[in-house]
Amino acid sequence: MDLFEYQGKQYFARYDIPVSPGGVAYTVDEAVTVAASAGYPVVIKAQVQVGGRGKAGGIKLAENADEVRLHATNIIGMDIKGHVVKRVWVEHASDIAEEYYASFTLDRAAKKHLLMLSAQGGVEIEVVAESNPEAIVLHHIDPVDGLTLDQARAVATEAKINPIAIEGAADMLVKLYGCFTRGDCDLAEINPLILRPDGGVHALDAKVSLDNNAAFRHPEWDEYRATEELDDREQLARSHDLQYIGLDGTVGIIANGAGLAMSTLDVVNQVGGSAANFLDIGGGANADMMAAALEVINFDQNVKSIFINIFGGITRGEEVAKGIVEALGRVDLRAPIVIRLDGTNAELGREILANAGIPESTLISMPTMLEAARAAVAIANASTTENGN
Ligand code: GDP
Ligand code: MN
């Protein structure tokens, strides 16, 4: 779950990372009130989950209430790369001497945490990575050992952080690592991490992504979930507890197990199609799950065919088949289904489907994953051409 900047800053504060005094405002009047308590000058920042807000006019400095009114009026309701600004964060403005970049993520391949630090912050890190990769220092951390102040100092030195900022930056890195690990983040990023003219090191931005698998030990995350912005498809999927990610292709995909679902996306691509989604109904999926999955896929206007790819281990073929029959009774599917059903009780499942009297224009069964992908893509592509889009 991705947090807004203001939530990220509130989260930082829980882990002793200092942030500027400020508050969130939904209206121009609220912005003026918050500005007064934060203390002028203030910076008004659009709260959208997309970078480059400054360039888009979503970040403005204000010296007084009139300027707050002017900028808040412009920013609230503004569209930044397709995200409409519903709220602004107003905080006491900082003087900036230098801008750095710092982040922690998990490097799955290395099975270690990864600290990235650069003296060239402020701009998007992808740009630095492209134009000047040696300006980013990568440091792997064994999660058992953690990160010490000494190591953090060494990384800051290697990144050519200004000598007067080394101590402050190292302290900030250790605290940010604490937030990343104890706070169960997938990503904890500060860009820019600034050096102030007075020598202090301070976080001006916050990008935090929380690891949903750890939600059970963070009741405080509920308030973030309340403001989470999912698309309609994702919201419906969440209400059914399905692992779903919306994409923009035309072949709806249902598979059991994340690995098989990923392979299904690949094979659809390989044969010239494009996936409308990732959907893993999990091991041990039953008829209800299958019916819910079909409902979610069917909700997507772009779907032109539905590829159900099941290799039953714990998931049983007859449950999958029952789910499909049940779903067909419940929802009016917008697109035909192509199914590849294999594994545990697959034969029983195929028998149930065959005896359910489903017309071939609604459901086709294919013996292999590749053949099923070809059939699903052929249907989707034919229907896309027909409609001229
Ligand atoms: P992003 O571009 O969407 O990531 O937004 P940031 O929060 O990183 O802000 C972008 C830029 O605005 C920063 O790199 C700063 O140059 C500037 N900025 C943000 N807050 C302040 C502030 O308090 N004082 C000053 N002088 N500039 C700021
Ligand atoms: Mn930023």
PDB file of all heavy atoms in Angstrom, residues 5 43 45 50-54 59 61 91-96 99 122 191-192 204-205, ligand 1:
ATOM      1  N   GLU A   5       2.400  11.560   0.709  1.00  0.00           N
ATOM      2  CA  GLU A   5       3.539  12.181   1.375  1.00  0.00           C
ATOM      3  C   GLU A   5       3.227  12.509   2.841  1.00  0.00           C
ATOM      4  O   GLU A   5       4.036  12.226   3.732  1.00  0.00           O
ATOM      5  CB  GLU A   5       3.935  13.473   0.643  1.00  0.00           C
ATOM      6  CG  GLU A   5       5.010  14.248   1.368  1.00  0.00           C
ATOM      7  CD  GLU A   5       5.134  15.693   0.872  1.00  0.00           C
ATOM      8  OE1 GLU A   5       4.370  16.094  -0.015  1.00  0.00           O
ATOM      9  OE2 GLU A   5       6.009  16.398   1.394  1.00  0.00           O
ATOM     10  N   VAL A  43       5.341  25.909   2.710  1.00  0.00           N
ATOM     11  CA  VAL A  43       5.286  25.321   1.383  1.00  0.00           C
ATOM     12  C   VAL A  43       3.977  24.529   1.299  1.00  0.00           C
ATOM     13  O   VAL A  43       3.575  23.870   2.262  1.00  0.00           O
ATOM     14  CB  VAL A  43       6.549  24.467   1.076  1.00  0.00           C
ATOM     15  CG1 VAL A  43       6.747  23.387   2.110  1.00  0.00           C
ATOM     16  CG2 VAL A  43       6.503  23.878  -0.311  1.00  0.00           C
ATOM     17  N   LYS A  45       1.893  21.721  -0.735  1.00  0.00           N
ATOM     18  CA  LYS A  45       2.257  20.586  -1.573  1.00  0.00           C
ATOM     19  C   LYS A  45       1.049  19.723  -1.930  1.00  0.00           C
ATOM     20  O   LYS A  45       0.357  19.204  -1.056  1.00  0.00           O
ATOM     21  CB  LYS A  45       3.315  19.728  -0.860  1.00  0.00           C
ATOM     22  CG  LYS A  45       4.511  20.561  -0.366  1.00  0.00           C
ATOM     23  CD  LYS A  45       5.568  19.688   0.288  1.00  0.00           C
ATOM     24  CE  LYS A  45       6.375  18.939  -0.747  1.00  0.00           C
ATOM     25  NZ  LYS A  45       7.479  18.169  -0.109  1.00  0.00           N
ATOM     26  N   VAL A  50       2.186  10.507  -7.170  1.00  0.00           N
ATOM     27  CA  VAL A  50       2.930  10.541  -8.422  1.00  0.00           C
ATOM     28  C   VAL A  50       4.043  11.572  -8.242  1.00  0.00           C
ATOM     29  O   VAL A  50       3.886  12.547  -7.507  1.00  0.00           O
ATOM     30  CB  VAL A  50       1.974  10.873  -9.600  1.00  0.00           C
ATOM     31  CG1 VAL A  50       1.331  12.227  -9.429  1.00  0.00           C
ATOM     32  CG2 VAL A  50       2.683  10.794 -10.929  1.00  0.00           C
ATOM     33  N   GLY A  51       5.206  11.316  -8.860  1.00  0.00           N
ATOM     34  CA  GLY A  51       6.334  12.234  -8.700  1.00  0.00           C
ATOM     35  C   GLY A  51       6.228  13.436  -9.624  1.00  0.00           C
ATOM     36  O   GLY A  51       5.280  13.562 -10.395  1.00  0.00           O
ATOM     37  N   GLY A  52       7.198  14.327  -9.522  1.00  0.00           N
ATOM     38  CA  GLY A  52       7.245  15.487 -10.414  1.00  0.00           C
ATOM     39  C   GLY A  52       6.151  16.499 -10.134  1.00  0.00           C
ATOM     40  O   GLY A  52       5.704  17.217 -11.014  1.00  0.00           O
ATOM     41  N   ARG A  53       5.745  16.583  -8.862  1.00  0.00           N
ATOM     42  CA  ARG A  53       4.671  17.514  -8.519  1.00  0.00           C
ATOM     43  C   ARG A  53       5.120  18.956  -8.679  1.00  0.00           C
ATOM     44  O   ARG A  53       4.347  19.828  -9.063  1.00  0.00           O
ATOM     45  CB  ARG A  53       4.214  17.263  -7.072  1.00  0.00           C
ATOM     46  CG  ARG A  53       3.542  15.937  -6.880  1.00  0.00           C
ATOM     47  CD  ARG A  53       3.348  15.646  -5.408  1.00  0.00           C
ATOM     48  NE  ARG A  53       4.636  15.540  -4.723  1.00  0.00           N
ATOM     49  CZ  ARG A  53       4.791  15.566  -3.422  1.00  0.00           C
ATOM     50  NH1 ARG A  53       3.748  15.729  -2.646  1.00  0.00           N
ATOM     51  NH2 ARG A  53       5.986  15.446  -2.882  1.00  0.00           N
ATOM     52  N   GLY A  54       6.402  19.200  -8.348  1.00  0.00           N
ATOM     53  CA  GLY A  54       6.938  20.556  -8.444  1.00  0.00           C
ATOM     54  C   GLY A  54       6.816  21.110  -9.850  1.00  0.00           C
ATOM     55  O   GLY A  54       6.275  22.202 -10.068  1.00  0.00           O
ATOM     56  N   ILE A  59       3.657  22.360  -6.168  1.00  0.00           N
ATOM     57  CA  ILE A  59       4.404  22.713  -4.950  1.00  0.00           C
ATOM     58  C   ILE A  59       4.750  24.199  -5.012  1.00  0.00           C
ATOM     59  O   ILE A  59       5.418  24.637  -5.946  1.00  0.00           O
ATOM     60  CB  ILE A  59       5.679  21.868  -4.826  1.00  0.00           C
ATOM     61  CG1 ILE A  59       5.308  20.384  -4.698  1.00  0.00           C
ATOM     62  CG2 ILE A  59       6.522  22.331  -3.632  1.00  0.00           C
ATOM     63  CD1 ILE A  59       6.482  19.454  -4.603  1.00  0.00           C
ATOM     64  N   LEU A  61       5.719  27.923  -2.648  1.00  0.00           N
ATOM     65  CA  LEU A  61       6.067  28.585  -1.394  1.00  0.00           C
ATOM     66  C   LEU A  61       5.114  29.762  -1.178  1.00  0.00           C
ATOM     67  O   LEU A  61       4.690  30.404  -2.145  1.00  0.00           O
ATOM     68  CB  LEU A  61       7.507  29.099  -1.458  1.00  0.00           C
ATOM     69  CG  LEU A  61       8.589  28.004  -1.394  1.00  0.00           C
ATOM     70  CD1 LEU A  61       9.928  28.529  -1.902  1.00  0.00           C
ATOM     71  CD2 LEU A  61       8.726  27.452   0.017  1.00  0.00           C
ATOM     72  N   GLU A  91       3.393  22.844   5.116  1.00  0.00           N
ATOM     73  CA  GLU A  91       4.379  22.754   6.200  1.00  0.00           C
ATOM     74  C   GLU A  91       5.286  23.974   6.203  1.00  0.00           C
ATOM     75  O   GLU A  91       5.397  24.701   5.203  1.00  0.00           O
ATOM     76  CB  GLU A  91       5.217  21.461   6.097  1.00  0.00           C
ATOM     77  CG  GLU A  91       6.229  21.442   4.972  1.00  0.00           C
ATOM     78  CD  GLU A  91       7.110  20.181   4.981  1.00  0.00           C
ATOM     79  OE1 GLU A  91       6.687  19.128   5.483  1.00  0.00           O
ATOM     80  OE2 GLU A  91       8.238  20.277   4.447  1.00  0.00           O
ATOM     81  N   HIS A  92       5.927  24.183   7.343  1.00  0.00           N
ATOM     82  CA  HIS A  92       6.890  25.274   7.467  1.00  0.00           C
ATOM     83  C   HIS A  92       8.002  25.041   6.443  1.00  0.00           C
ATOM     84  O   HIS A  92       8.562  23.955   6.367  1.00  0.00           O
ATOM     85  CB  HIS A  92       7.454  25.302   8.886  1.00  0.00           C
ATOM     86  CG  HIS A  92       8.406  26.441   9.108  1.00  0.00           C
ATOM     87  ND1 HIS A  92       7.995  27.750   9.097  1.00  0.00           N
ATOM     88  CD2 HIS A  92       9.742  26.460   9.299  1.00  0.00           C
ATOM     89  CE1 HIS A  92       9.040  28.537   9.285  1.00  0.00           C
ATOM     90  NE2 HIS A  92      10.125  27.787   9.409  1.00  0.00           N
ATOM     91  N   ALA A  93       8.298  26.073   5.630  1.00  0.00           N
ATOM     92  CA  ALA A  93       9.283  25.903   4.554  1.00  0.00           C
ATOM     93  C   ALA A  93      10.698  25.816   5.125  1.00  0.00           C
ATOM     94  O   ALA A  93      11.004  26.441   6.139  1.00  0.00           O
ATOM     95  CB  ALA A  93       9.182  27.057   3.568  1.00  0.00           C
ATOM     96  N   SER A  94      11.530  25.040   4.454  1.00  0.00           N
ATOM     97  CA  SER A  94      12.924  24.884   4.869  1.00  0.00           C
ATOM     98  C   SER A  94      13.829  25.620   3.896  1.00  0.00           C
ATOM     99  O   SER A  94      13.536  25.702   2.707  1.00  0.00           O
ATOM    100  CB  SER A  94      13.316  23.400   4.861  1.00  0.00           C
ATOM    101  OG  SER A  94      12.449  22.656   5.666  1.00  0.00           O
ATOM    102  N   ASP A  95      14.944  26.127   4.416  1.00  0.00           N
ATOM    103  CA  ASP A  95      15.990  26.655   3.536  1.00  0.00           C
ATOM    104  C   ASP A  95      16.854  25.481   3.103  1.00  0.00           C
ATOM    105  O   ASP A  95      17.196  24.619   3.915  1.00  0.00           O
ATOM    106  CB  ASP A  95      16.849  27.683   4.282  1.00  0.00           C
ATOM    107  CG  ASP A  95      16.075  28.979   4.503  1.00  0.00           C
ATOM    108  OD1 ASP A  95      15.197  29.279   3.670  1.00  0.00           O
ATOM    109  OD2 ASP A  95      16.330  29.655   5.513  1.00  0.00           O
ATOM    110  N   ILE A  96      17.204  25.478   1.832  1.00  0.00           N
ATOM    111  CA  ILE A  96      17.937  24.336   1.279  1.00  0.00           C
ATOM    112  C   ILE A  96      19.336  24.760   0.837  1.00  0.00           C
ATOM    113  O   ILE A  96      19.473  25.704   0.066  1.00  0.00           O
ATOM    114  CB  ILE A  96      17.191  23.757   0.049  1.00  0.00           C
ATOM    115  CG1 ILE A  96      15.764  23.361   0.436  1.00  0.00           C
ATOM    116  CG2 ILE A  96      17.960  22.574  -0.538  1.00  0.00           C
ATOM    117  CD1 ILE A  96      14.916  22.892  -0.734  1.00  0.00           C
ATOM    118  N   GLU A  99      20.620  19.095  -1.867  1.00  0.00           N
ATOM    119  CA  GLU A  99      19.566  18.079  -1.905  1.00  0.00           C
ATOM    120  C   GLU A  99      20.172  16.701  -2.185  1.00  0.00           C
ATOM    121  O   GLU A  99      20.908  16.531  -3.154  1.00  0.00           O
ATOM    122  CB  GLU A  99      18.530  18.422  -2.985  1.00  0.00           C
ATOM    123  CG  GLU A  99      17.795  19.728  -2.725  1.00  0.00           C
ATOM    124  CD  GLU A  99      16.635  19.962  -3.687  1.00  0.00           C
ATOM    125  OE1 GLU A  99      16.887  20.084  -4.896  1.00  0.00           O
ATOM    126  OE2 GLU A  99      15.480  20.006  -3.232  1.00  0.00           O
ATOM    127  N   GLY A 122      16.772  15.424  -5.194  1.00  0.00           N
ATOM    128  CA  GLY A 122      15.855  16.454  -5.696  1.00  0.00           C
ATOM    129  C   GLY A 122      15.231  16.054  -7.003  1.00  0.00           C
ATOM    130  O   GLY A 122      14.018  16.100  -7.155  1.00  0.00           O
ATOM    131  N   ASN A 191      13.417  11.987  -0.763  1.00  0.00           N
ATOM    132  CA  ASN A 191      13.982  12.707  -1.910  1.00  0.00           C
ATOM    133  C   ASN A 191      13.236  14.009  -2.126  1.00  0.00           C
ATOM    134  O   ASN A 191      12.131  14.004  -2.639  1.00  0.00           O
ATOM    135  CB  ASN A 191      13.890  11.838  -3.170  1.00  0.00           C
ATOM    136  CG  ASN A 191      14.593  12.497  -4.343  1.00  0.00           C
ATOM    137  OD1 ASN A 191      15.505  13.298  -4.165  1.00  0.00           O
ATOM    138  ND2 ASN A 191      14.151  12.186  -5.550  1.00  0.00           N
ATOM    139  N   PRO A 192      13.774  15.136  -1.721  1.00  0.00           N
ATOM    140  CA  PRO A 192      15.136  15.297  -1.243  1.00  0.00           C
ATOM    141  C   PRO A 192      15.287  15.183   0.273  1.00  0.00           C
ATOM    142  O   PRO A 192      14.422  15.587   1.026  1.00  0.00           O
ATOM    143  CB  PRO A 192      15.452  16.740  -1.663  1.00  0.00           C
ATOM    144  CG  PRO A 192      14.136  17.448  -1.542  1.00  0.00           C
ATOM    145  CD  PRO A 192      13.095  16.423  -1.911  1.00  0.00           C
ATOM    146  N   LEU A 204      12.592  16.344   3.395  1.00  0.00           N
ATOM    147  CA  LEU A 204      11.597  17.257   2.797  1.00  0.00           C
ATOM    148  C   LEU A 204      10.469  16.524   2.098  1.00  0.00           C
ATOM    149  O   LEU A 204       9.429  17.091   1.818  1.00  0.00           O
ATOM    150  CB  LEU A 204      12.265  18.194   1.783  1.00  0.00           C
ATOM    151  CG  LEU A 204      12.806  19.510   2.325  1.00  0.00           C
ATOM    152  CD1 LEU A 204      12.765  20.587   1.252  1.00  0.00           C
ATOM    153  CD2 LEU A 204      12.062  19.977   3.553  1.00  0.00           C
ATOM    154  N   ASP A 205      10.688  15.273   1.732  1.00  0.00           N
ATOM    155  CA  ASP A 205       9.647  14.511   1.057  1.00  0.00           C
ATOM    156  C   ASP A 205       9.637  13.117   1.690  1.00  0.00           C
ATOM    157  O   ASP A 205      10.609  12.731   2.354  1.00  0.00           O
ATOM    158  CB  ASP A 205       9.946  14.431  -0.454  1.00  0.00           C
ATOM    159  CG  ASP A 205       8.739  13.963  -1.266  1.00  0.00           C
ATOM    160  OD1 ASP A 205       7.651  13.798  -0.683  1.00  0.00           O
ATOM    161  OD2 ASP A 205       8.894  13.757  -2.487  1.00  0.00           O
TER     162      ASP A 205
HETATM  163  P1  GDP B   1       8.267  15.783  -5.891  1.00  0.00           P
HETATM  164  O1  GDP B   1       9.022  16.535  -6.941  1.00  0.00           O
HETATM  165  O2  GDP B   1       6.871  15.490  -6.305  1.00  0.00           O
HETATM  166  O3  GDP B   1       8.984  14.573  -5.410  1.00  0.00           O
HETATM  167  O4  GDP B   1       8.129  16.784  -4.629  1.00  0.00           O
HETATM  168  P2  GDP B   1       9.197  17.135  -3.472  1.00  0.00           P
HETATM  169  O5  GDP B   1       8.498  17.091  -2.175  1.00  0.00           O
HETATM  170  O6  GDP B   1      10.395  16.278  -3.594  1.00  0.00           O
HETATM  171  O7  GDP B   1       9.568  18.633  -3.784  1.00  0.00           O
HETATM  172  C1  GDP B   1      10.130  19.012  -5.011  1.00  0.00           C
HETATM  173  C2  GDP B   1      11.071  20.169  -4.825  1.00  0.00           C
HETATM  174  O8  GDP B   1      10.388  21.284  -4.225  1.00  0.00           O
HETATM  175  C3  GDP B   1      12.202  19.849  -3.860  1.00  0.00           C
HETATM  176  O9  GDP B   1      13.248  19.166  -4.486  1.00  0.00           O
HETATM  177  C4  GDP B   1      12.584  21.254  -3.413  1.00  0.00           C
HETATM  178  O10 GDP B   1      13.492  21.822  -4.335  1.00  0.00           O
HETATM  179  C5  GDP B   1      11.272  22.016  -3.443  1.00  0.00           C
HETATM  180  N1  GDP B   1      10.775  22.150  -2.056  1.00  0.00           N
HETATM  181  C6  GDP B   1       9.990  21.283  -1.379  1.00  0.00           C
HETATM  182  N2  GDP B   1       9.819  21.690  -0.104  1.00  0.00           N
HETATM  183  C7  GDP B   1      10.533  22.839   0.028  1.00  0.00           C
HETATM  184  C8  GDP B   1      10.803  23.722   1.136  1.00  0.00           C
HETATM  185  O11 GDP B   1      10.369  23.566   2.270  1.00  0.00           O
HETATM  186  N3  GDP B   1      11.624  24.798   0.864  1.00  0.00           N
HETATM  187  C9  GDP B   1      12.162  25.032  -0.370  1.00  0.00           C
HETATM  188  N4  GDP B   1      12.941  26.079  -0.532  1.00  0.00           N
HETATM  189  N5  GDP B   1      11.936  24.207  -1.409  1.00  0.00           N
HETATM  190  C10 GDP B   1      11.144  23.119  -1.214  1.00  0.00           C
END
